[in-house]
Amino acid sequence: MKKVMILAVMMVATLTASAQQAVGTWSVTPKVGMNLATVTNTDDAKMKVGLVAGADLTYQIAQPFAISVGAFYSMQGAKGSESDYGLKVDQTVNLDYINVPIMANIYVVPGLAIKAGIQPGFNVKHKAKIEAKGESYEKDIDDFKSFDFSIPLGLSYEFSDFVIDARYVFGLTDLVGYDKSKNSVIQFTLGYKIPL
């Protein structure tokens, strides 16, 4: 039984050791996943599910420390509804961005990293979809800002070159000129690390 336990520990150690790359090396990690997005400082805003996809380029500076730069298409926004003179009106705010997360990755144990950084984002879509009485239409959001700046914080775990990443991204930039709404996104992705 003792030999079986030692063998199991060695196998797990081999898997986790392979999850962290050698010092001074580069890798690219294509990722795809899901956003749970909303906007802050809005009373009736509810979470909206969206797609996120892109890739990270990572450089292993030291054994416990790496830095990464990514480019991701991110579908964000929020949902909401209100009643106006007894008529229910549903609204979906669709905010799509090209986000560029720049992250420090600190490996607390082999394969498990704490991540923090900055994220400039560039808006490519800002439309509101309004639905009432079975009819719907889309309109542009007035005074919308094309640049967004956020702080991403998260965790990732690597095993056999697969990377599971979970992060919270809180926006610092007001979305429009006339209120204080900001992006708020919980993000989950699955990626595959490719050494360069």
Side-chain angles (χ1 to χ4, degrees), residues 8-187:
V9 168
M10 287 174 60
M11 288 175 65
V12 169
T14 302
L15 274 176
T16 56
S18 69
Q20 197 167 322
Q21 62 195 59
V23 173
T25 58
W26 293 86
S27 65
V28 64
T29 308
K31 295 180 179 179
V32 66
M34 173 181 71
N35 285 335
L36 300 174
T38 189
V39 294
T40 62
N41 300 320
T42 304
D43 292 336
D44 62 343
K46 297 179 179 66
M47 281 196 169
K48 171 185 174 290
V49 177
L51 174 75
V52 60
D56 278 323
L57 178 66
T58 304
Y59 180 68
Q60 193 76 33
I61 294 174
Q63 202 56 32
F65 184 72
I67 191 160
S68 63
V69 178
F72 290 86
Y73 190 88
S74 183
M75 300 170 78
Q76 299 170 200
K79 288 186 170 185
S81 62
E82 59 183 37
S83 291
D84 193 13
Y85 299 105
L87 175 66
K88 185 183 178 190
V89 178
D90 295 317
Q91 181 171 295
T92 302
V93 176
N94 296 307
L95 307 177
D96 292 3
Y97 289 87
I98 302 295
N99 287 328
V100 183
I102 303 164
M103 306 286 285
N105 306 277
I106 301 167
Y107 290 88
V108 291
V109 295
L112 179 65
I114 297 171
K115 301 183 172 218
I118 59 171
Q119 178 175 282
F122 305 92
N123 182 262
V124 293
K125 180 179 180 180
H126 52 274
K127 291 188 178 286
K129 183 179 180 182
I130 317 278
E131 296 178 273
K133 286 188 171 180
E135 296 184 12
S136 68
Y137 67 95
E138 267 194 339
K139 66 172 188 174
D140 283 330
I141 300 170
D142 295 333
D143 297 325
F144 196 84
K145 295 184 179 176
S146 59
F147 180 77
D148 184 64
F149 189 79
S150 301
I151 301 290
L153 301 170
L155 292 171
S156 70
Y157 186 70
E158 303 171 22
F159 59 98
S160 300
D161 295 324
F162 287 95
V163 182
I164 297 173
D165 193 298
R167 63 183 68 170
Y168 175 64
V169 183
F170 59 94
L172 301 177
T173 308
D174 295 342
L175 297 178
V176 289
Y178 49 80
D179 70 15
K180 298 294 182 184
S181 297
K182 297 172 176 60
N183 281 308
S184 175
V185 182
I186 299 169
Q187 190 176 91

